Amino acid sequence: MTTLILLRHGRSTSNTAGVLAGRTPGVELDDKGREQAAAVVDRLAPLPIAEIVTSPMLRCRQTVTPLAEARGLAPVVEEDLSEVDYGDWTGGKLSELAKEDLWKVVQAHPSAAVFPGGEGLAGMQARAVAAVRHHERRIAAAHGPHAIWVACSHGDVIKSVLADALASHLDNFQRIVVDTCSMSVVIYTTTRPFVARVNDVGGDVASLVPPPPKEGEEGQGDGTPEPAAEPSSDAVVGGSTGA
């Protein structure tokens, strides 16, 4: 059993410009995003972080840099946690893209959505979930079954991983809200995952500290974990495609 903290990158210049950044090179955090990234260090201070895994996009790498420096960790770059390849939509204004027929598919039937010149959302979910499961197994083997790790990625990618953990069809993933620099928590056990938090933007994380191992414990946590604290109630609604 490991605990995964899914961290969305901080607010970027594209977020404030209303542009679908996608995989556009060089999209950075804005001033607010840098403040959010710095605040992650204190928010996660109570937790023993075994590893940090990140999307290769600059805004994600900038988000985890303060935490990595504070913990003396070298982030592992995972290509399959990268942003959706929006293809021809990359760099487009959201206000204009919302007029496209495909936008309705993205919102109501995302499992069927394939971006022109890019990838489909179903393919994105498959690669992201496979990457998370791979690192979960690797980290459990390297650091033990109670390891806590952070994966920094993007809104749609994180929502797709959460949908998988909730055993919910991808067509429901737009119902999940993932704000910039929010944390969502999934506890992976040998039998099934448990979603402990979604879109937490400031809650106390102390309840996520793993208990000390009991004498003779094998540490494979097949049962339901202890319930985590309730998520913060002051989250701002948002975080759909491109937000």
PDB file of all heavy atoms in Angstrom, residues 15 48 50 57 120 132 156 174 197 226 241:
ATOM      1  N   ASN A  15      -3.065  29.785 -18.035  1.00  0.00           N
ATOM      2  CA  ASN A  15      -4.301  29.740 -17.265  1.00  0.00           C
ATOM      3  C   ASN A  15      -4.953  31.117 -17.218  1.00  0.00           C
ATOM      4  O   ASN A  15      -6.155  31.260 -17.434  1.00  0.00           O
ATOM      5  CB  ASN A  15      -4.046  29.262 -15.831  1.00  0.00           C
ATOM      6  CG  ASN A  15      -3.613  27.822 -15.745  1.00  0.00           C
ATOM      7  OD1 ASN A  15      -2.746  27.491 -14.944  1.00  0.00           O
ATOM      8  ND2 ASN A  15      -4.190  26.941 -16.542  1.00  0.00           N
ATOM      9  N   PRO A  48       6.411  12.257   5.395  1.00  0.00           N
ATOM     10  CA  PRO A  48       7.665  11.728   4.852  1.00  0.00           C
ATOM     11  C   PRO A  48       7.470  11.427   3.362  1.00  0.00           C
ATOM     12  O   PRO A  48       6.773  10.487   2.999  1.00  0.00           O
ATOM     13  CB  PRO A  48       7.885  10.448   5.663  1.00  0.00           C
ATOM     14  CG  PRO A  48       6.501  10.005   6.047  1.00  0.00           C
ATOM     15  CD  PRO A  48       5.676  11.255   6.190  1.00  0.00           C
ATOM     16  N   ALA A  50       8.697  10.037  -0.017  1.00  0.00           N
ATOM     17  CA  ALA A  50       9.731   9.126  -0.502  1.00  0.00           C
ATOM     18  C   ALA A  50      10.287   9.569  -1.850  1.00  0.00           C
ATOM     19  O   ALA A  50      11.509   9.540  -2.070  1.00  0.00           O
ATOM     20  CB  ALA A  50       9.169   7.707  -0.612  1.00  0.00           C
ATOM     21  N   MET A  57       6.604  18.850 -18.463  1.00  0.00           N
ATOM     22  CA  MET A  57       6.281  20.217 -18.808  1.00  0.00           C
ATOM     23  C   MET A  57       6.871  21.184 -17.783  1.00  0.00           C
ATOM     24  O   MET A  57       6.871  20.915 -16.576  1.00  0.00           O
ATOM     25  CB  MET A  57       4.769  20.402 -18.910  1.00  0.00           C
ATOM     26  CG  MET A  57       4.053  19.419 -19.841  1.00  0.00           C
ATOM     27  SD  MET A  57       4.774  19.304 -21.511  1.00  0.00           S
ATOM     28  CE  MET A  57       4.589  20.986 -22.100  1.00  0.00           C
ATOM     29  N   GLY A 120      -6.317  11.050 -28.184  1.00  0.00           N
ATOM     30  CA  GLY A 120      -7.641  10.923 -27.611  1.00  0.00           C
ATOM     31  C   GLY A 120      -7.563  10.919 -26.099  1.00  0.00           C
ATOM     32  O   GLY A 120      -6.543  10.527 -25.512  1.00  0.00           O
ATOM     33  N   VAL A 132       1.219   5.701 -13.446  1.00  0.00           N
ATOM     34  CA  VAL A 132       1.017   5.761 -11.999  1.00  0.00           C
ATOM     35  C   VAL A 132       1.166   4.378 -11.381  1.00  0.00           C
ATOM     36  O   VAL A 132       1.837   4.203 -10.349  1.00  0.00           O
ATOM     37  CB  VAL A 132      -0.365   6.358 -11.681  1.00  0.00           C
ATOM     38  CG1 VAL A 132      -0.775   6.073 -10.232  1.00  0.00           C
ATOM     39  CG2 VAL A 132      -0.369   7.860 -11.939  1.00  0.00           C
ATOM     40  N   ASP A 156      -6.549  17.587 -16.626  1.00  0.00           N
ATOM     41  CA  ASP A 156      -7.248  16.471 -17.260  1.00  0.00           C
ATOM     42  C   ASP A 156      -6.577  15.137 -16.954  1.00  0.00           C
ATOM     43  O   ASP A 156      -7.252  14.113 -16.798  1.00  0.00           O
ATOM     44  CB  ASP A 156      -7.328  16.676 -18.773  1.00  0.00           C
ATOM     45  CG  ASP A 156      -8.376  17.722 -19.159  1.00  0.00           C
ATOM     46  OD1 ASP A 156      -9.216  18.061 -18.310  1.00  0.00           O
ATOM     47  OD2 ASP A 156      -8.349  18.187 -20.309  1.00  0.00           O
ATOM     48  N   GLN A 174     -15.305  14.744 -16.225  1.00  0.00           N
ATOM     49  CA  GLN A 174     -15.474  16.189 -16.181  1.00  0.00           C
ATOM     50  C   GLN A 174     -16.250  16.639 -14.946  1.00  0.00           C
ATOM     51  O   GLN A 174     -16.338  17.841 -14.669  1.00  0.00           O
ATOM     52  CB  GLN A 174     -16.185  16.687 -17.449  1.00  0.00           C
ATOM     53  CG  GLN A 174     -15.407  16.469 -18.741  1.00  0.00           C
ATOM     54  CD  GLN A 174     -14.183  17.369 -18.874  1.00  0.00           C
ATOM     55  OE1 GLN A 174     -13.630  17.847 -17.892  1.00  0.00           O
ATOM     56  NE2 GLN A 174     -13.750  17.600 -20.102  1.00  0.00           N
ATOM     57  N   ARG A 197      -8.755  12.059  -0.813  1.00  0.00           N
ATOM     58  CA  ARG A 197      -9.033  13.481  -0.967  1.00  0.00           C
ATOM     59  C   ARG A 197      -9.111  13.839  -2.447  1.00  0.00           C
ATOM     60  O   ARG A 197      -8.452  13.206  -3.278  1.00  0.00           O
ATOM     61  CB  ARG A 197      -7.957  14.347  -0.312  1.00  0.00           C
ATOM     62  CG  ARG A 197      -7.799  14.129   1.181  1.00  0.00           C
ATOM     63  CD  ARG A 197      -6.928  15.172   1.814  1.00  0.00           C
ATOM     64  NE  ARG A 197      -6.726  14.851   3.218  1.00  0.00           N
ATOM     65  CZ  ARG A 197      -6.250  15.696   4.127  1.00  0.00           C
ATOM     66  NH1 ARG A 197      -5.921  16.917   3.750  1.00  0.00           N
ATOM     67  NH2 ARG A 197      -6.100  15.335   5.377  1.00  0.00           N
ATOM     68  N   GLU A 226      -7.556   3.926   7.147  1.00  0.00           N
ATOM     69  CA  GLU A 226      -8.264   4.845   8.014  1.00  0.00           C
ATOM     70  C   GLU A 226      -8.750   6.036   7.205  1.00  0.00           C
ATOM     71  O   GLU A 226      -8.047   6.536   6.334  1.00  0.00           O
ATOM     72  CB  GLU A 226      -7.321   5.336   9.134  1.00  0.00           C
ATOM     73  CG  GLU A 226      -6.953   4.251  10.125  1.00  0.00           C
ATOM     74  CD  GLU A 226      -8.161   3.763  10.901  1.00  0.00           C
ATOM     75  OE1 GLU A 226      -8.991   4.598  11.289  1.00  0.00           O
ATOM     76  OE2 GLU A 226      -8.279   2.559  11.116  1.00  0.00           O
ATOM     77  N   THR A 241     -11.117  21.060 -18.991  1.00  0.00           N
ATOM     78  CA  THR A 241     -10.128  21.099 -20.056  1.00  0.00           C
ATOM     79  C   THR A 241      -9.603  22.507 -20.287  1.00  0.00           C
ATOM     80  O   THR A 241     -10.340  23.429 -20.576  1.00  0.00           O
ATOM     81  CB  THR A 241     -10.732  20.579 -21.367  1.00  0.00           C
ATOM     82  OG1 THR A 241     -11.129  19.225 -21.181  1.00  0.00           O
ATOM     83  CG2 THR A 241      -9.709  20.633 -22.494  1.00  0.00           C
TER      84      THR A 241
END
